[in-house]
Amino acid sequence: MLPNTGKLAGCTVFITGASRGIGKAIALKAAKDGANIVIAAKTTQAHPRLPGTIYTAAEEIEAAGGKALPCIVDVRDEQQISNAVEKAVEKFGGIDILVNNASAISLTNTLETPTKRVDLMMNVNTRGTYLTSKACIPYLKKSKVAHILNLSPPLNLNPLWFKQHCAYTIAKYGMSMCVLGMAEEFKGEIAVNALWPKTGHSLVPDIFLDEYPDPVTKKTESHGAVPELKGEKPQTPAEQRSGAVEETFRIVKDSLTDDIVKATQAVFQFELSGEDGGTWFLDLKSKSGNVGYGEPSDHADVVMSMSTDDFVKMFSGKLKPTMAFMSGKLKIKGNMALAIKLEKLMNQLQAKL
């Protein structure tokens, strides 16, 4: 077999949270170049809804052409970080690149964020990034291609990005401030940068990016104002669409399949204000799925609150869920991962709505 001559061939890349998601995607891309990958993550047993462990990731990395070292690491534990770094140096001779990908998220407002969730986000996102960087830096200094890459957003001080999830923003911005500080501190020795991907069905900007396009009016400059999306004029009562919510749910029900229910496995409850509003549900967990007026028979995994008009706009594709949430038009309680699954379903239904 010919030796791999990719750009990262022979480089050792230490990646936190690399057992799944973006972390694993970065690992597999580097593996194709022939890199050595240190999988620093805490998942040793597959989750029923989130497949992937450090061991299955290692198998995929080696199949892609790289070498893998799976290490059990909870970035809240300084000793586990140190042990993984020592193992990486012992096996591969050093560390060339660090990717701080491990992160915890809770897009909840101040009163709805438990202290233990605040601690988790601060300790994983900010503290974990800082400690992992600190442990790797002595070895990065010895590398000719030394680089730290944090998966964190630009430091956007628009109040919009703080209003709905203050604790999460603080925790993620801590990662970004590590970039700002360490890039200057180790200038000339280690390159330090941040990466904040765009996300969505057809690539839409993630949170913390003011480019959708120009999504927020100048009202967001006022800390007490509720931001509006440009191009959406407030509607008078006469313009409200009577029966639109019921029709939307009818189309959703007619579009349900066993595959959709099997892939989603969640119950959604909608608290809608305005004409044709009230409590509605979308059951994508039992049998072939169901929709209806009133509360679901099973406990709702996600509760979404918004106006009836915005609900119809969101399901028809005229209002993106991300911007609805960020602007305060949509409030979400429950499992955010399942809420994202619902967004994917909306994309499939938009041609019919």
Side-chain angles (χ1 to χ4, degrees):
M1 181 180 293
L2 294 174
N4 196 316
T5 57
K7 291 182 179 180
L8 298 178
C11 290
T12 297
V13 187
F14 191 106
I15 308 176
T16 64
S19 60
R20 59 172 70 101
I22 293 177
K24 190 177 78 170
I26 293 173
L28 291 173
K29 180 64 173 68
K32 290 179 181 178
D33 271 5
N36 308 316
I37 310 296
V38 183
I39 309 159
K42 60 187 180 69
T43 306
T44 57
Q45 294 182 336
H47 188 278
R49 294 182 181 176
L50 294 172
T53 69
I54 59 175
Y55 306 114
T56 58
E59 292 174 357
E60 292 182 53
I61 286 166
E62 297 200 341
K67 294 180 180 179
L69 174 63
C71 295
I72 301 173
V73 177
D74 183 335
V75 295
R76 294 172 292 179
D77 189 322
E78 188 173 11
Q79 189 59 54
Q80 289 187 14
I81 296 171
S82 297
N83 291 344
V85 169
E86 289 176 8
K87 289 179 182 178
V89 174
E90 181 181 349
K91 183 175 178 67
F92 298 125
I95 296 174
D96 299 291
I97 298 169
L98 165 63
V99 179
N100 285 305
N101 167 70
S103 186
I105 182 172
S106 181
L107 297 178
T108 47
N109 63 37
T110 300
L111 296 181
E112 294 175 350
T113 309
T115 301
K116 66 178 182 179
R117 181 63 62 173
V118 175
D119 291 340
L120 176 67
M121 290 190 287
M122 300 300 175
N123 289 334
V124 171
N125 300 0
T126 301
R127 183 174 180 272
T129 293
Y130 185 90
L131 292 181
T132 307
S133 299
K134 182 180 178 182
C136 290
I137 283 171
Y139 302 100
L140 290 169
K141 282 188 169 186
K142 299 176 183 179
S143 171
K144 294 181 180 179
V145 293
H147 204 128
I148 296 175
L149 180 67
N150 291 356
L151 274 291
S152 62
L155 290 170
N156 188 338
L157 297 183
N158 187 328
L160 174 70
W161 307 122
F162 292 83
K163 178 181 178 181
Q164 301 295 333
H165 41 74
C166 185
Y168 174 66
T169 298
I170 292 171
K172 288 302 290 187
Y173 278 18
M175 295 176 69
S176 301
M177 293 174 78
C178 284
V179 173
L180 196 64
M182 293 179 188
E184 189 66 22
E185 182 177 358
F186 301 105
K187 182 183 292 185
E189 296 179 283
I190 304 170
V192 187
N193 290 286
L195 173 67
W196 192 239
K198 290 186 176 184
T199 58
H201 184 67
S202 56
L203 284 189
V204 297
D206 206 332
I207 58 177
F208 305 118
L209 301 178
D210 290 344
E211 51 169 279
Y212 180 10
D214 220 11
V216 184
T217 65
K218 292 183 179 180
K219 287 189 177 182
T220 56
E221 296 175 3
S222 169
H223 290 243
V226 177
E228 295 180 290
L229 298 182
K230 279 192 174 180
E232 292 190 19
K233 299 179 181 178
Q235 292 186 328
T236 63
E239 294 175 311
Q240 298 290 337
R241 290 170 284 186
S242 177
V245 171
E246 184 175 3
E247 176 64 12
T248 298
F249 275 110
R250 184 193 65 77
I251 294 174
V252 170
K253 184 176 182 179
D254 291 343
S255 303
L256 295 182
T257 65
D258 290 342
D259 288 340
I260 289 176
V261 174
K262 185 178 179 180
T264 309
Q265 286 297 291
V267 177
F268 302 92
Q269 181 173 320
F270 301 88
E271 297 295 337
L272 305 179
S273 60
E275 187 177 346
D276 200 25
T279 300
W280 295 77
F281 70 88
L282 172 57
D283 183 348
L284 296 179
K285 183 178 287 186
S286 59
K287 297 181 180 178
S288 297
N290 194 19
V291 304
Y293 183 79
E295 295 187 0
S297 56
D298 291 336
H299 174 75
D301 298 292
V302 181
V303 178
M304 297 184 172
S305 302
M306 62 194 314
S307 71
T308 56
D309 191 58
D310 287 333
F311 170 83
V312 174
K313 286 181 179 179
M314 191 171 72
F315 265 84
S316 63
K318 296 177 181 178
L319 174 61
K320 294 293 183 182
T322 299
M323 292 312 301
F325 179 79
M326 291 301 117
S327 64
K329 293 185 174 185
L330 168 64
K331 296 185 184 299
I332 301 176
K333 291 183 181 180
N335 191 317
M336 290 300 299
L338 294 176
I340 293 172
K341 282 191 174 184
L342 181 62
E343 182 175 2
K344 292 181 180 179
L345 175 61
M346 292 180 197
N347 289 328
Q348 298 174 23
L349 295 173
Q350 283 169 10
K352 300 180 181 180
L353 290 168

